[in-house]
């Protein structure tokens, strides 16, 4: 046989193999697939359980004091003594610093002298004049009458002489002025005697009493200013910052120290923007747990969300959540780094399944149940082929790998856990393991 005929024979055989062998291969492959399908796809199953589920978020934050008090002096002056250091614990009304009070003490003495004078005037107005004072006033009145009579006599003589041209006009006017002055003195003397005989009026007595009260208020204010030289802690807490030293000049606008109350602290946590709606919808306080890195071996500290920021940071796309942390033991300190778990929602004895059972598709959320569940609680023999049915469910909260099912199952079903990704409704499966 020639080489040409041999090559033609090989080509015909190859074409025969292609057109006959490929369909035969497909038939054999399909037979194997059908046989495997009849046997069932291997799956594992799980059963629903009643569980307590807590939907939570975990983020890190920083502790801050719930409130800080800036201690401002109420008196200007030089610091003579400073009695605390940063980190020191102080109680309410503990002495923190002493300011030079020399000016305040002088003002107090001056105010006391004014008060004493006002009280004396008030007592005089209430008591009236002494007899000796009245006698002196009457004697002054008699003298004023005599002085006026003499002044009038001198004036009449000066007038005649002036008209006769023997006295100058200046002498005449001088005599006239003396007479007018004597008349004024007499009028004042008569008024003084009359007032002394009548005594102080009610208006005068009231004015004297009011003057006493005014001077007493000034004296008490001066004493208070002197007390301000001793600067005391307004609250119990810890001194977190000292802002003055001995010898410094201070005033009511220059703070001395900052005190943080250790009884309560807050944690500030940044939460991603996608959760903002959940926080706004939450009513009432949101419970939380705080675990400081410094006390990782201790049980977490109880806390609750007390405020949610009204704005979202455009840079970080997060909002601030503030938690009030229980700190009765006084262990927590401002600036500590903590892990916070925010418990947004809790479901007690919820009907739950492992979250891996869920299939989330375009047409909703569903699970695969094994059809034909036996009446008894015993499962079919391992390896037996069973059909699955696809059932839509409504999930609730999820936590720790479990998800709450609000509707779709009753709680007695066998649900495909693993091997459910490519199942179809009515497909045969083979249970190889149960959880």
């Amino acid at each position: 046989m020639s080489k040409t005929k041999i090559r033609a024979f090989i080509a015909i055989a190859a074409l025969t193999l292609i057109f006959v062998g490929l369909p035969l291969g497909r038939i054999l492959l399909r037979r194997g697939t059908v046989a495997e399908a009849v046997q069932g796809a291997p799956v594992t199953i799980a059963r629903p359980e009643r569980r307590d589920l807590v939907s939570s978020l975990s983020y890190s934050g920083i502790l801050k004091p719930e409130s800080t008090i800036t201690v401002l002096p109420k008196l200007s002056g030089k610091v003579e003594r400073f009695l605390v250091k940063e980190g020191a614990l102080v109680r309410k009304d503990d002495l923190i610093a002493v300011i030079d009070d020399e000016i305040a003490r002088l003002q107090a003495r001056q105010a006391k002298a004014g008060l004493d004078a006002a009280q004396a005037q008030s007592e005089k107005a209430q008591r009236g004049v002494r007899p000796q004072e009245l006698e002196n006033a009457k004697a002054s009145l008699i003298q004023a009458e005599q002085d006026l009579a003499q002044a009038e006599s001198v004036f009449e003589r000066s007038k005649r002489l002036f008209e006769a041209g023997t006295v100058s006009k200046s002498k005449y006017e001088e005599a006239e002025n003396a007479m007018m002055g004597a008349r004024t003195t007499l009028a004042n003397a008569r008024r003084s005697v009359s007032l002394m005989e009548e005594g102080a009026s009610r208006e005068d007595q009231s004015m004297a009493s009011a003057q006493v009260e005014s001077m007493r208020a000034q004296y008490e204010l001066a004493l208070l200013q002197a007390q301000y030289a001793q600067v005391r802690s307004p609250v119990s807490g810890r001194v977190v910052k000292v802002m003055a030293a001995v010898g410094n000049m201070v005033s009511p606008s220059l703070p001395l120290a900052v005190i943080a109350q250790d009884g309560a602290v807050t944690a500030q946590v940044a939460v991603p923007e996608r959760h903002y709606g959940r926080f706004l919808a939450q009513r009432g306080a949101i419970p939380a747990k705080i675990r400081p890195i410094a006390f990782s071996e201790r049980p977490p500290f109880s806390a609750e969300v007390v405020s949610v920021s009204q704005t979202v940071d455009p840079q970080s796309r997060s909002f601030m959540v503030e938690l009030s942390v229980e700190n009765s033991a006084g262990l927590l300190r401002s600036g500590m780094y903590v892990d916070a778990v925010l418990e947004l929602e809790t479901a007690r004895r919820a009907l739950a399944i492992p979250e891996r059972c869920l299939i989330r598709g375009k047409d909703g959320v569903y699970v695969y149940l094994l059809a034909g569940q036996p009446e008894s609680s015993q499962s079919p023999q391992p390896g037996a082929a069973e059909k699955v049915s696809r059932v839509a469910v409504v999930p609730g909260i999820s936590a720790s790998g479990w998800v709450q099912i609000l509707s779709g199952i009753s709680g007695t079903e066998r649900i495909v856990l693993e091997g459910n990704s490519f199942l179809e409704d009515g497909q045969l499966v083979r249970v190889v393991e149960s959880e």
Side-chain angles (χ1 to χ4, degrees):
M1 182 180 296
S2 65
K3 292 183 179 181
T4 302
K5 291 182 178 181
I6 293 174
R7 290 175 180 172
F9 178 78
I10 293 173
I12 293 172
L15 291 173
T16 302
L17 179 62
I18 291 173
F19 288 104
V20 177
L22 287 178
L24 180 61
R26 289 175 180 172
I27 293 173
L28 294 176
L29 181 61
R30 185 161 52 250
R31 285 180 178 177
T33 302
V34 171
E36 183 179 354
V38 171
Q39 186 181 11
V43 297
T44 63
I45 63 171
R47 292 182 180 274
E49 296 182 9
R50 292 287 176 180
R51 285 176 168 255
D52 292 340
L53 299 180
V54 179
S55 176
S56 61
L57 300 173
S58 298
Y59 298 101
S60 299
I62 301 294
L63 289 184
K64 292 188 175 182
E66 189 169 274
S67 63
T68 57
I69 305 298
T70 300
V71 181
L72 292 169
K74 297 181 180 179
L75 182 70
S76 298
K78 183 175 67 175
V79 178
E80 290 187 341
R81 286 186 294 160
F82 212 100
L83 306 177
V84 296
K85 297 181 179 179
E86 290 188 2
L89 287 173
V90 293
R91 292 176 297 179
K92 189 177 184 298
D93 295 328
D94 280 354
L95 189 62
I96 294 178
V98 176
I99 300 173
D100 180 19
D101 62 346
E102 181 178 359
I103 295 178
R105 285 186 285 106
L106 290 174
Q107 290 174 341
R109 290 211 304 267
Q110 184 180 22
K112 181 63 168 59
L115 174 61
D116 292 342
Q119 286 176 333
Q121 290 293 332
S122 177
E123 291 172 359
K124 181 178 179 180
Q126 299 295 332
R127 182 185 67 245
V129 298
R130 293 192 293 264
Q132 297 86 343
E133 292 175 336
L134 181 57
E135 291 298 327
N136 291 337
K138 288 181 177 180
S140 298
L141 174 58
I142 294 173
Q143 183 63 47
E145 290 174 345
Q146 294 175 355
D147 291 343
L148 175 59
Q150 183 180 359
E152 288 177 341
S153 175
V154 171
F155 171 72
E156 290 299 330
R157 185 172 63 253
S158 297
K159 181 179 180 181
R160 290 193 302 270
L161 295 174
F162 173 70
E163 290 175 350
T166 58
V167 173
S168 64
K169 185 178 180 180
S170 61
K171 288 291 185 179
Y172 168 73
E173 291 177 348
E174 183 179 343
E176 185 180 19
N177 291 335
M179 181 187 66
M180 297 300 295
R183 288 177 179 176
T184 302
T185 302
L186 177 60
N188 291 336
R190 287 173 177 171
R191 188 180 303 109
S192 178
V193 171
S194 177
L195 290 174
M196 288 184 179
E197 290 177 341
E198 292 177 1
S201 65
R202 291 184 179 179
E203 291 79 4
D204 292 337
Q205 294 176 0
S206 297
M207 290 179 61
S209 297
Q211 182 68 13
V212 170
E213 293 304 318
S214 175
M215 295 306 299
R216 179 177 287 111
Q218 291 185 29
Y219 176 56
E220 291 175 353
L221 179 60
L223 289 179
L224 186 61
Q225 290 289 336
Q227 292 177 4
Y228 286 160
Q230 294 187 340
V231 183
R232 299 185 178 274
S233 175
V235 296
S236 297
R238 187 178 299 274
V239 179
V240 296
K241 193 170 186 180
V242 172
M243 308 175 73
V246 174
N248 288 160
M249 293 299 295
V250 296
S251 69
S253 62
L254 297 176
L256 291 175
V258 177
I259 298 176
Q261 294 178 277
D262 279 338
V265 294
T266 62
Q268 292 191 339
V269 179
V271 179
E273 180 184 3
R274 64 179 178 273
H275 299 300
Y276 194 69
R278 295 185 65 182
F279 278 85
L280 291 184
Q282 192 80 11
R283 294 185 177 181
I286 300 175
K289 299 292 183 184
I290 298 295
R291 187 180 294 277
I293 292 179
F295 300 107
S296 57
E297 73 284 356
R298 291 178 57 89
F301 293 78
S302 299
E304 64 178 19
V305 175
V306 293
S307 69
V308 177
S309 174
Q310 296 299 309
T311 59
V312 176
D313 188 333
Q315 301 297 325
S316 63
R317 308 311 310 172
S318 63
F319 60 96
M320 296 303 298
V321 173
E322 184 173 294
L323 299 89
S324 177
V325 187
E326 188 277 328
N327 188 30
S328 57
L331 298 176
L332 302 180
R333 297 287 184 271
S334 175
M336 282 185 173
Y337 191 78
V338 297
D339 292 324
V341 178
L342 313 175
E343 300 175 357
L344 296 183
E345 191 175 354
T346 301
R348 301 296 181 188
R349 291 191 53 76
L351 181 62
I353 62 174
E355 200 163 5
R356 290 179 295 167
C357 295
L358 292 183
I359 301 295
R360 301 181 186 272
K362 295 181 179 179
D363 51 350
V365 181
Y366 52 90
V367 296
Y368 283 103
L369 307 181
L370 270 64
Q373 183 171 331
E375 296 294 334
S376 66
S377 59
Q378 296 180 353
S379 301
Q381 294 295 326
E386 300 181 73
K387 286 186 178 182
V388 294
S389 59
R390 194 173 90 168
V391 175
V393 295
V394 177
I397 67 174
S398 58
S400 303
W402 289 77
V403 60
Q404 178 188 21
I405 301 300
L406 300 176
S407 65
I409 62 174
S410 63
T412 60
E413 296 86 351
R414 294 175 296 149
I415 305 174
V416 176
L417 174 66
E418 293 181 348
N420 56 358
S421 299
F422 301 101
L423 293 181
E424 296 181 0
D425 191 26
Q427 184 176 340
L428 288 175
V429 297
R430 175 170 47 87
V431 178
V432 296
E433 186 179 357
S434 298
E435 288 194 2

